[in-house]
Amino acid sequence: MTSPSDFTPLFSRRQVIQMFAAVSASFGITPQANAATVGVADTFAKGYGTDPTLTKLYKPGDVWPLTLNAEQLRTVTALCDLILPADDLGPAASAVGVPQFMDEWISAPYPLQQEDNPVLLEGIAWLNTEASKRFSKSFAELDAPQQATIADDICHITMAKPEFREAAQFFERFRSRAAAGYYSTQEGWKAIGFVGNITSATFDGPPAEVLKLLDVEQTVK
Amino acid sequence: MPIITPAKAQLEYDVAIIGSGAGGGQMAYTLTLAGIKCVMLEAGRSYDPQTETPMFMTGSQAPLRGAGTPDKDFGFYDATIDGGWDVPGEPYTQASSKKEEQFWWWRARMMGGRTNHWGRISLRNGPYDFKPRSRDGLGFDWPVTYAEIDPYYTKVEMLIGVYGTNSGMENTPDSPEGVLLPAPKARLSELVSQKFGKKLGIPFMPIHRAVLTKPLDWLNIPKKLHPGNQWAQKIVADSMMRRAPCFWATDCGRGCSISANYQSTTVHLPPALATGNLDIIPNAHAREVLVNDEGKATGVLFIDKTTGKEERIKAKAVVIAASSGETVRILLNSKGGKGIANSSGLVGRYIMDTVGTKVTGHVPILENVPPHNEEGAGGSHTYAPWWGYKDQAAGKLDFARGYHIEMGGSRSMPIGNNPVPDDLVRGSYGKKFKQDMRRYYGSIVSYACRGEMIPNEKSYCELDPQVKDKWGIPSLRWHWGWSEHELNQAAHARRTFTDLIESMGGTVRHDKTEAARDYIEPGGKIIHEVGGAIMGADAKTSVCNGWNQTWDVKNLLICDGSPFASNADKNPTLTIMALAWRAADHLIEQAKQGNL
Ligand SMILES: Cc1cc2nc3c(=O)[nH]c(=O)nc-3n(C[C@H](O)[C@H](O)[C@H](O)COP(=O)(O)OP(=O)(O)OC[C@H]3O[C@@H](n4cnc5c(N)ncnc54)[C@H](O)[C@@H]3O)c2cc1C
Ligand code: SF4
């Protein structure tokens, strides 16, 4: 059976692509900083349940309250930007809402996040204690080289000295979550090299230069 | 669209169908297009893929950047609603506290069931797969042959639209010329796997998935599917016309608002509803199949979840397609808990899942690859069918049956999780970290074993003597156990995938000292739950005959995976649909002869 070329589906592929291009272009939000400065949550709010609306836009704080206080949020912001600064690959973490995402994460009512909660909160407190010990300032007030002297001691979990082991565990967890927050944004996609979420009339597979680089040929004709 | 409440239901229907997934959807499609009046009871809520699918939504628009939670196990945007590993108010239990004896039970609770988010991998069983016992003395033969099911595979493939190529490989059937849609181009990690796989004798090639890589031929296919029935042809053509082809973006697991892939809700139910012969009652949780004194099914007793009240529906025949566990539960709870269709004592026995294990590797040659679009058809493009029949026949393998390889590369959309494993960046932060992330993104590949489990006496479910759900319906209790065949198979897969990754110059990311018992996925985890009401050649050793009809209750059909007498490595859904279509044809034939 070969398909005739003269039949048209109800929507042409071009129409569908246009429909969706319009929709995806209108969804460009950046989470806003949340002003709430509530203390550490000892009781957790409810989650979004098993049937949340999937087609609406959410921002941190929409489903459960954020719980970081202003001081904690400042520290989180400083660390996010130390890990993911603005550079030629893209904006800083704080420019794409990563600190607010971290707040949402730490405040979330689910097991994984609740397990992270004490690790991250204690780590944040540790950073400030350490900053004050070394420089008599809070972590956020330090300049970049000063922040780096602390970060260098805790950034590598297997190389960290015994007295920094626990802080290193915190750092790795924090970096991993911040990366999740950063690379889930459109700016993050650019930074990491993800291309997609955009309709196309054909799928051509990897471009010729990529095939050449890996010394493979496209085998699906 | 007659999606109704119980109050609007007719006094009696020809057929009541429990469940709206692949099996229930196919039954409703075939029966209503033959003019049979059906009512469908679906435990979950109604669901509209056109308006509810979050097609282009990004992580930054979702709570927790879209990460999975116990409310949404597979991520915020996964199509599943109200279902998952846990369903609130509907507990199930494990007979053993040992992990390896437990079953993970994934349940759907929505219109269309698991077909809204399934992987769309659509493989035919081969001739061996229907007669496994005749070949190696293990498990059971089916009472049907490949030749009998083959035409129904073809019909289902034409209806739902399946891409792929014919491989010509042993026990990996080809489809008739022109039935399969064009396979999408392979992605980079797939081509690299193919190149290195070849040296090890592993045949990576295009997979078969239910995604439209071009529009369906709505002029000709309906005539082939429904010869002589012009009314049905027109309805099916209309429905096919409304399905757009894939636009090469978005994850199929979210569902597809343009109907480019198969979901019961976009492919089976719309034409069935368009016939005017189908009423669907959502939020209707079936509790029992009602039977009369002659042992015939007369209808269904169900809970209207919107009121919590019991309701009844009358029908001349009943079809259950609620997924193996739930189908067993309904059978055992019928007749006030005495059970029906169980003179063999085999209802609930021989539950099977797929043998699963996965190896992930970091492959340096895939580092720093220039960014390019690899979204493709929203799921897998490439797999390796089981290639070991010759070695097995020569006695070189320490397990029976085979596995296929499903693979993953990693240039997919980052969402909710860190797209690069923590340790690869060796403690970097700042600019260096961002460069590292770019370098390693895309350099992780994974290979998953999807293998055949042989039915055994240890793996079954039964009613829990105490625990009930929130409506007072007895819950299921699970038992599980693997045999050496499955464990040795998982070990073979682990070795093979390790060799493959190392041949590419890569490093596997697991602890090599683990034993198969540690890395075989737990029972149920692959969510290919089948068995529990197996079909066979006689009433003593099986629950159903070769027409999915229960031996004891002739007008009761089981049309999900429960009648599977074995669970080939091929993912089950295409076979569920082919068997359901055939069972429906048989039921129509019997109805014509006045045998209902
Ligand atoms: C993540 C994932 C990926 C998968 N990928 C693949 C794949 O690539 N290929 C493949 O072949 N298979 C795959 N599967 C399996 C596939 O989804 C199932 O085989 C298929 O959906 C089975 O169809 P079914 O009709 O038997 O059951 P379901 O699709 O589960 O439908 C059963 C329906 O019955 C309803 N129901 C349950 N209990 C009751 C009750 N008491 N009363 C009324 N209604 C009830 C449920 O709400 C549900 O809607 C996958 C599954 C999952 C979860
Ligand atoms: S990849 Fe194609 S088939 Fe899958 S959801 Fe997107 S458009 Fe639909």
Side-chain angles (χ1 to χ4, degrees):
Chain A
M1 180 193 70
T2 48
S3 296
S5 51
D6 60 345
F7 66 86
T8 35
L10 207 66
F11 299 114
S12 75
R13 194 193 291 254
R14 189 152 27 87
Q15 276 172 318
V16 172
I17 289 174
Q18 279 164 354
M19 254 154 57
F20 278 97
V23 175
S24 48
S26 66
F27 288 160
I29 61 149
T30 317
Q32 295 299 304
N34 190 298
T37 49
V38 202
V40 179
D42 41 15
T43 54
F44 285 94
K46 271 177 69 164
Y48 44 66
T50 53
D51 187 10
T53 303
L54 301 185
T55 49
K56 88 178 203 203
L57 306 182
Y58 295 82
K59 55 182 185 342
D62 279 359
V63 188
W64 50 86
L66 304 181
T67 55
L68 293 184
N69 64 33
E71 175 63 27
Q72 288 168 323
L73 192 60
R74 263 197 300 279
T75 315
V76 164
T77 305
L79 187 56
C80 283
D81 284 352
L82 182 69
I83 293 171
L84 293 150
D87 61 8
D88 53 341
L89 292 176
S94 61
V96 294
V98 179
Q100 289 69 38
F101 157 74
M102 294 299 286
D103 194 355
E104 177 191 41
W105 186 276
I106 289 169
S107 314
Y110 298 109
L112 172 68
Q113 287 76 12
Q114 292 193 13
E115 195 196 303
D116 272 4
N117 174 290
V119 178
L120 296 176
L121 289 184
E122 281 162 30
I124 293 162
W126 181 90
L127 277 182
N128 280 322
T129 313
E130 197 66 15
S132 125
K133 239 196 266 173
R134 298 193 197 184
F135 305 104
S136 307
K137 282 182 183 166
S138 73
F139 185 76
E141 286 163 345
L142 304 185
D143 59 25
Q146 290 171 327
Q147 285 178 344
T149 61
I150 298 179
D152 287 343
D153 284 336
I154 63 174
C155 65
H156 200 298
I157 203 158
T158 49
M159 313 254 277
K161 293 197 190 114
E163 63 267 36
F164 294 120
R165 269 297 137 69
E166 212 174 315
Q169 277 161 7
F170 150 74
F171 191 89
E172 181 171 286
R173 185 89 55 107
F174 189 101
R175 181 179 52 209
S176 194
R177 303 306 182 216
Y182 187 79
Y183 292 107
S184 297
T185 65
Q186 265 132 320
E187 293 81 356
W189 297 350
K190 269 205 202 97
I192 206 165
F194 164 73
V195 184
N197 211 36
I198 177 164
T199 59
S200 162
T202 56
F203 177 70
D204 303 327
E209 53 154 341
V210 169
L211 296 177
K212 203 164 152 226
L213 197 67
L214 271 294
D215 190 24
V216 287
E217 268 172 49
Q218 180 57 258
T219 52
V220 181
K221 300 297 172 199
Chain B
M1 286 214 313
I3 292 175
I4 61 169
T5 58
K8 296 265 166 58
Q10 291 164 27
L11 276 181
E12 190 179 20
Y13 292 88
D14 294 329
V15 180
I17 302 168
I18 301 171
S20 63
Q26 184 63 60
M27 282 310 273
Y29 171 95
T30 309
L31 294 174
T32 57
L33 284 163
I36 293 184
K37 304 257 181 241
C38 297
V39 63
M40 176 178 267
L41 304 174
E42 168 49 55
R45 75 158 167 89
S46 187
Y47 171 68
D48 177 11
Q50 237 170 52
T51 57
E52 297 193 57
T53 311
M55 293 298 275
F56 287 94
M57 305 291 290
T58 68
S60 54
Q61 296 162 342
L64 301 174
R65 295 291 206 248
T69 66
D71 280 336
K72 294 280 293 185
D73 292 306
F74 299 143
F76 186 75
Y77 289 132
D78 178 73
T80 307
I81 49 181
D82 293 331
W85 296 119
D86 276 309
V87 178
E90 300 187 47
Y92 63 90
T93 63
Q94 308 285 353
S96 165
S97 57
K98 292 192 193 140
K99 270 204 155 63
E100 65 273 22
E101 292 174 1
Q102 299 185 342
F103 185 82
W104 288 53
W105 194 19
W106 202 98
R107 287 170 291 173
R109 289 289 181 270
M110 69 191 291
M111 185 91 78
R114 286 175 283 169
T115 70
N116 293 303
H117 80 144
W118 70 310
R120 274 90 183 168
I121 296 171
S122 301
L123 307 174
R124 294 178 175 219
N125 279 6
Y128 302 170
D129 300 324
F130 291 101
K131 302 292 170 195
R133 188 180 181 86
S134 301
R135 294 192 75 240
D136 60 21
L138 298 166
F140 310 106
D141 283 347
W142 300 52
V144 297
T145 61
Y146 176 74
E148 287 167 290
I149 310 303
D150 174 20
Y152 287 97
Y153 278 132
T154 301
K155 283 192 198 208
V156 174
E157 286 169 346
M158 286 198 285
L159 172 68
I160 69 177
V162 175
Y163 70 63
T165 53
N166 285 330
S167 70
M169 283 186 55
E170 187 174 4
N171 200 38
T172 305
D174 291 346
S175 302
E177 199 50 44
V179 166
L180 296 175
L181 302 170
K185 295 267 189 295
R187 302 179 177 100
L188 184 62
S189 56
E190 296 170 332
L191 292 170
V192 170
S193 301
Q194 191 174 45
K195 175 176 159 181
F196 286 90
K198 205 175 220 165
K199 298 177 192 165
L200 302 178
I202 307 169
F204 283 99
M205 60 178 64
I207 199 170
H208 294 201
R209 280 182 76 238
V211 170
L212 306 187
T213 49
K214 66 176 196 188
L216 279 176
D217 177 4
W218 53 267
L219 276 180
N220 292 305
I221 293 174
K223 291 182 204 144
K224 295 180 182 165
L225 297 181
H226 304 281
N229 183 347
Q230 286 188 354
W231 170 77
Q233 290 168 16
K234 173 154 193 329
I235 289 171
V236 173
D238 274 356
S239 171
M240 282 186 175
M241 235 184 271
R242 288 190 158 75
R243 298 184 60 195
C246 178
F247 51 41
W248 311 111
T250 76
D251 172 3
C252 291
R254 300 178 178 199
C256 186
S257 69
I258 60 165
S259 312
N261 60 35
Y262 165 80
Q263 300 174 222
S264 171
T265 37
T266 54
V267 177
H268 278 140
L269 299 181
L273 286 166
T275 63
N277 290 330
L278 178 65
D279 284 346
I280 305 182
I281 310 181
N283 305 304
H285 187 99
R287 175 181 180 139
E288 297 185 21
V289 173
L290 299 166
V291 285
N292 63 15
D293 295 342
E294 288 104 67
K296 278 205 158 179
T298 58
V300 182
L301 173 69
F302 65 97
I303 311 287
D304 176 357
K305 286 163 68 180
T306 62
T307 61
K309 288 212 191 88
E310 280 189 359
E311 304 281 351
R312 273 156 217 266
I313 207 94
K314 277 172 75 177
K316 297 189 192 107
V318 174
V319 171
I320 318 184
S323 85
S324 284
E326 199 66 36
T327 293
V328 165
R329 184 169 171 229
I330 294 167
L331 292 174
L332 294 177
N333 273 319
S334 293
K335 263 202 195 159
K338 291 201 202 84
I340 56 167
N342 197 19
S343 64
S344 63
L346 293 178
V347 169
R349 296 278 149 172
Y350 308 119
I351 296 279
M352 293 159 269
D353 188 28
T354 289
V355 178
T357 192
K358 184 166 158 180
V359 172
T360 301
H362 162 229
V363 180
I365 55 173
L366 289 168
E367 287 174 14
N368 272 328
V369 166
H372 60 276
N373 187 331
E374 286 208 323
E375 288 218 283
S380 172
H381 290 186
T382 300
Y383 87 131
W386 175 236
W387 65 99
Y389 291 107
K390 296 264 169 340
D391 278 356
Q392 214 151 28
K396 287 189 194 156
L397 301 181
D398 59 355
F399 57 93
R401 319 288 170 85
Y403 62 89
H404 69 260
I405 311 174
E406 294 177 10
M407 67 157 298
S410 55
R411 297 202 79 88
S412 53
M413 184 206 275
I415 181 160
N417 296 308
N418 182 356
V420 169
D422 293 318
D423 58 306
L424 283 188
V425 300
R426 289 190 204 81
S428 69
Y429 65 91
K431 257 179 126 117
K432 173 77 170 48
F433 177 61
K434 288 174 83 176
Q435 285 159 3
D436 284 345
M437 290 296 285
R438 198 175 169 90
R439 166 178 171 187
Y440 293 115
Y441 171 67
S443 69
I444 304 294
V445 294
S446 64
Y447 302 97
C449 157
R450 293 290 179 263
E452 175 160 358
M453 170 190 179
I454 297 161
N456 67 49
E457 303 296 330
K458 292 182 280 186
S459 303
Y460 64 100
C461 58
E462 61 188 346
L463 293 181
D464 189 289
Q466 266 113 38
V467 180
K468 297 187 163 91
D469 69 13
K470 64 178 167 193
W471 304 287
I473 311 173
S475 298
L476 276 192
R477 181 165 70 182
W478 291 91
H479 301 253
W480 196 257
W482 297 114
S483 76
E484 290 304 311
H485 290 289
E486 290 84 34
L487 294 169
N488 291 347
Q489 188 181 75
H492 184 276
R494 175 105 139 181
R495 283 194 304 274
T496 305
F497 305 165
T498 302
D499 289 348
L500 177 59
I501 289 167
E502 291 177 351
S503 78
M504 297 175 183
T507 320
V508 295
R509 301 191 50 77
H510 61 252
D511 171 2
K512 285 193 179 175
T513 64
E514 280 177 341
R517 267 186 206 287
D518 305 321
Y519 55 75
I520 192 169
E521 297 277 3
K525 195 72 187 290
I526 308 301
I527 325 186
H528 289 162
E529 149 203 350
V530 300
I534 63 167
M535 58 164 68
D538 74 82
K540 283 203 199 68
T541 57
S542 59
V543 179
C544 295
N545 66 18
W547 303 100
N548 296 52
Q549 232 170 346
T550 66
W551 290 108
D552 300 346
V553 185
K554 276 277 143 57
N555 62 341
L556 174 61
L557 274 69
I558 300 190
C559 290
D560 49 23
S562 321
F564 280 34
S566 73
N567 190 16
D569 69 279
K570 287 85 169 179
N571 317 40
T573 311
L574 192 75
T575 302
I576 290 177
M577 294 194 256
L579 289 175
W581 196 321
R582 182 168 168 273
D585 276 357
H586 185 66
L587 186 69
I588 293 161
E589 209 41 54
Q590 289 196 319
K592 276 189 196 145
Q593 294 166 11
N595 283 347
L596 273 190

